[in-house]
Amino acid sequence: MKSESQVVVRPALDVRGTVSLPGDKSVSHRYAMLAGIAEARSRLENYSTGADCASTLRCLRALGVSWEHNGAANVVEVQGRGMALSAPTISLDCGNSGSTMRMLSGIVAGQNFSSEMIGDESLSRRPMARVITPLTLMGARITSNDARPPLHIEGSALKAIDYKMPLASAQVKTCLLFAGLLADGETVIEEPLRTRDHGEVALRAFGAKLERKNNAVKIRGGQRLLGIEARIPGDLSSAAFFLCAAALFPGSQLTLPHLLMNPTRARLLEVLMQMGLNISVVQMEEIHGEMVGTIQVTGARLTGAVIAGADAAALIDEIPVLAAIAPYTEQGIEVRDAKELRVKESDRIAAIVANLKLMGAQVEEHEDGLRVPGCQNLRGAELDSFGDHRIAMAFAVAALRAKGETIIHGAESAAISYPAFFETLEQLVVR
Ligand code: S3P
């Protein structure tokens, strides 16, 4: 059983400094999986330090992929074994990682063996029909616990499909692109909204050819992948916590070097700028198709925002921290069209509402979002992470401007994406 830890966060006066983020979680998962089925060796520098990306590596090892991890430098070297992996003798344990289960299912579905994919208590509650349905159309045979994990996947020779995704999900799109790579024929995936495109960008970096037309992407099966050498850009969704912390203090100053700036992920920067935060991009380059840059941030008064429609999907991982700082804005923040938040690592809408109320805030809960009025003062309180990394980190940020200390129970869940979060936050805050 995991031991529970609590963290005490005291109010701060300012946020100042430079922080280099560990590699982006979305990019790390995809690079590791593609490196595993490439024909050569890959070297991945600044691999995500989070437990989720370690789950991906563990599953790959169970599938016969050998890799070495130099922990001190966060370098992972993967010896690709080509498209044919080996039958696992143990269940593929995805831990807390929905990305691992959903994206890797596209690869194991196309193998000539069966695999069982399992997860922790939170992952075991999460919906998997979104990958089961299209993979079944491609020819895989999958059984599950009422469309939830564990998944038993009997791999087979997949056939290409033309699939209109009913739901905007980059994990599902990537799963199907990976399956399409192993399938016979050309797979076409159409998404209802443009979601993060790291799957497409990573496939191209490993040498695959894809075509995109509007919201549809096409991949031909049978393409072989090359190895790559890459330094993974800093995680923008982890940076969100520091950006929002800086946003709480007019005059705060933060520099974030080597940060992922992929336009399908960078909506947060635009929204924060519209709300009043000063962000300047001081350097920008493209590495393996991903935009990477250094940004400088200066805090100012924050207005407010409405996050709905395509923005809800674009900001899905950043909504917890935006909602947590909403009481300190002038006009508050309203979130709609974000029902997906209810089936993340926790029911994030319920978790945000519960914690904001414990801190004394007024908040309105909706089935697909919430509304937090602005100009509210919060008080320190005893909060729960609900076993969810983003909830633990979001409320550590909200606590910086509360009156009195905040205790966050289950703070260890931050390690799912960012083990050094609390230490780094402490280094940046001024008291
Ligand atoms: C991710 C996509 C998002 C996001 C998750 C990572 C990815 O999930 O919430 O943290 O790497 O593709 P969905 O694709 O299910 O929206």
Side-chain angles (χ1 to χ4, degrees):
M1 211 51 197
K2 234 176 9 180
S3 66
E4 252 234 350
S5 71
Q6 62 185 50
V7 163
V8 178
V9 184
R10 289 179 294 123
L13 297 172
D14 201 358
V15 167
R16 234 152 242 284
T18 298
V19 52
S20 290
L21 277 303
D24 186 72
K25 182 161 92 68
S26 293
V27 175
S28 296
H29 281 301
R30 288 164 171 84
Y31 278 6
M33 291 180 200
L34 293 178
I37 55 169
E39 309 263 324
R41 201 170 172 84
S42 293
R43 185 171 192 279
L44 310 176
E45 248 180 76
N46 200 35
Y47 189 77
S48 165
T49 50
D52 271 6
C53 292
S55 292
T56 285
L57 287 176
R58 246 199 340 267
C59 290
L60 288 170
R61 176 160 287 157
L63 290 161
V65 175
S66 55
W67 50 263
E68 288 144 40
H69 188 188
N70 174 344
N74 290 325
V75 176
V76 178
E77 293 200 48
V78 183
Q79 182 57 54
R81 37 173 308 153
M83 296 298 163
L85 299 175
S86 58
T89 53
I90 52 171
S91 298
L92 302 175
D93 186 354
C94 305
N96 191 245
S97 176
S99 298
T100 305
M101 189 171 288
R102 295 191 181 127
M103 300 197 286
L104 196 59
S105 66
I107 293 176
V108 298
Q111 304 296 321
N112 62 2
F113 53 76
S114 296
S115 321
E116 182 168 59
M117 305 189 92
I118 61 172
D120 70 4
E121 204 191 319
S122 147
L123 182 53
S124 299
R125 286 194 300 265
R126 297 182 65 186
M128 293 295 151
R130 55 190 68 192
V131 292
I132 297 173
T133 304
L135 289 175
T136 304
L137 288 172
M138 294 178 86
R141 279 180 293 276
I142 306 181
T143 53
S144 64
N145 176 18
D146 201 13
R148 288 178 165 67
L151 303 185
H152 180 86
I153 304 184
E154 204 180 307
S156 59
L158 300 179
K159 47 185 191 293
I161 50 168
D162 207 327
Y163 189 67
K164 247 193 172 130
M165 288 170 38
L167 178 110
S169 164
Q171 292 177 348
V172 176
K173 175 178 56 173
T174 304
C175 160
L176 299 179
L177 286 172
F178 290 178
L181 190 63
L182 296 165
D184 188 21
E186 186 174 69
T187 294
V188 185
I189 304 150
E190 195 177 328
E191 43 184 354
L193 297 170
R194 278 296 279 276
T195 62
R196 64 187 73 187
D197 65 359
H198 305 300
E200 297 94 302
V201 172
L203 277 158
R204 288 199 181 100
F206 280 82
K209 291 203 170 61
L210 286 88
E211 264 175 67
R212 171 169 278 283
K213 198 161 173 221
N214 302 320
N215 282 2
V217 45
K218 280 189 205 171
I219 188 163
R220 198 171 27 78
Q223 303 185 59
R224 291 161 163 233
L225 302 182
L226 316 163
I228 64 167
E229 289 207 1
R231 176 156 170 238
I232 300 176
D235 193 312
L236 186 52
S237 301
S238 298
F241 300 103
F242 302 131
L243 291 168
C244 287
L248 295 179
F249 303 99
S252 62
Q253 296 219 315
L254 207 55
T255 302
L256 304 170
H258 197 71
L259 188 65
L260 178 78
M261 301 278 285
N262 176 317
T264 63
R265 285 286 292 287
R267 185 73 184 123
L268 173 75
L269 302 180
E270 291 163 2
V271 168
L272 286 173
M273 285 197 284
Q274 281 159 11
M275 285 170 67
L277 193 68
N278 295 305
I279 301 181
S280 46
V281 180
V282 293
Q283 180 265 337
M284 180 100 116
E285 65 189 307
E286 195 184 314
I287 305 180
H288 288 299
E290 291 288 3
M291 298 310 293
V292 186
T294 296
I295 62 172
Q296 280 174 353
V297 178
T298 310
R301 289 160 71 93
L302 284 187
T303 56
V306 177
I307 299 166
D311 275 351
L315 291 164
I316 199 76
D317 291 340
E318 292 80 37
I319 289 172
V321 68
L322 285 168
I325 63 162
Y328 305 116
T329 64
E330 286 170 0
Q331 287 132 33
I333 291 185
E334 177 162 3
V335 177
R336 299 311 290 255
D337 306 317
K339 216 169 59 206
E340 268 293 301
L341 286 174
R342 296 215 180 258
V343 290
K344 291 289 180 188
E345 287 83 329
S346 69
D347 175 342
R348 286 185 173 158
I349 296 176
I352 295 164
V353 169
N355 281 342
L356 280 175
K357 283 187 173 163
L358 286 168
M359 296 181 89
Q362 271 185 40
V363 45
E364 231 176 72
E365 178 170 359
H366 299 285
E367 190 44 38
D368 67 342
L370 73 175
R371 201 179 82 79
V372 186
C375 295
Q376 304 191 63
N377 293 318
L378 301 189
R379 54 171 186 268
E382 238 180 274
L383 308 178
D384 191 3
S385 72
F386 296 85
D388 185 328
H389 55 132
R390 298 206 197 277
I391 297 296
M393 295 188 277
F395 282 90
V397 173
L400 297 176
R401 251 189 67 181
K403 190 158 182 294
E405 281 182 359
T406 295
I407 299 174
I408 301 176
H409 292 279
E412 75 288 343
S413 58
I416 286 298
S417 57
Y418 193 2
F421 170 74
F422 287 103
E423 250 170 84
T424 310
L425 184 66
E426 277 308 296
Q427 285 159 9
L428 295 174
V429 299
V430 179
R431 293 203 166 84

